[in-house]
Each structure stands twice: as C-alpha cells, then as structure tokens.
Amino acid sequence: MANLNISKFFNNEASTLIEARRRCIGIHGSDIRAAGNEVEIAVREWMQRMLPDTVSVGHGHIIDPSSAISPQLDCILRDRGHVPTLFTASDGTEYTPIDSVFAYGEGKSTYYKAS
C-alpha cells in the first residue's frame, strides 16, 4: 500500500499560492485591480478544494437582516445548504445573506516575514 507524502502534498498546494503571488508582484507596480485578484482567486480556489462540499467560497458583500450591505470582501465562506446567494453580478461579485455566512476575510498580496 502506498503512503501519502503529506509534506509534498502541501508543498505543491503552497506552490500554487506562491506562483499567484509572483504573478501579482509582476503587475502590482501598476496598481491595477488584477494584481490583487491573482492572489485572491488562488486563495479562494485553494480554500474550495480544502473545505468540505457543504461550504462554498466566494467574494462580494454580506447582506444583514436590515438589508445593510457590507463593504466588498475578498473571501466569504458560507453554508451551501442554507440560504442561497441572493444575486451574482456579471463580474462574479456575490450578495450573500448573513444567515449563510460562516466566516469572511480579506486577502493581501504583500506580507512581511518576521525575524
């Protein structure tokens, strides 16, 4: 029986994210939205692969019970089986009821390594 090399598996996964960051840095000097999107999309795709099928990963805005809309969020984790996304714009921006949201976050293409 073969064994799974977990370290190699996660190194390969990390390589995907590192490559997205490398592409981002290549276009980041122009400060265009596509630069950040390189990393944000790669992170969302990675999270979707790692999380169970009951969780969907998207981006956009969260709508609360009073119909207030959050600022744009890079990553929204939501319950796939609960209240569906209300609307998806042509650019993929989703409007998700807060009742379905597990977590949300922002992605950054820069980081600082602590000594």
Side-chain angles (χ1 to χ4, degrees):
M1 176 184 283
N3 291 328
L4 174 64
N5 184 333
I6 300 220
S7 178
K8 184 176 180 181
F9 171 78
F10 281 108
N11 281 334
N12 288 340
E13 291 293 319
S15 295
T16 302
L17 299 174
I18 291 166
E19 176 59 22
R21 183 170 185 275
R22 188 193 61 73
R23 287 190 312 270
C24 172
I25 290 169
I27 58 176
H28 203 274
S30 60
D31 197 29
I32 58 174
R33 180 154 178 77
N37 285 348
E38 288 293 319
V39 173
E40 293 166 16
I41 291 168
V43 167
R44 284 194 300 269
E45 289 173 349
W46 176 78
M47 291 181 86
Q48 191 65 68
R49 285 194 311 274
M50 296 294 119
L51 292 169
D53 291 340
T54 57
V55 177
S56 68
V57 181
H59 67 99
H61 304 275
I62 297 172
I63 313 297
D64 76 8
S66 68
S67 299
I69 301 173
S70 74
Q72 190 278 336
L73 299 165
D74 296 337
C75 189
I76 302 173
L77 305 180
R78 53 193 178 226
D79 183 347
R80 189 181 299 271
H82 200 60
V83 180
T85 297
L86 297 174
F87 175 75
T88 302
S90 59
D91 69 352
T93 301
E94 299 157 321
Y95 294 81
T96 303
I98 197 166
D99 296 355
S100 294
V101 176
F102 292 129
Y104 61 88
E106 288 293 301
K108 297 296 175 199
S109 59
T110 58
Y111 60 86
Y112 298 96
K113 185 176 180 181
S115 302

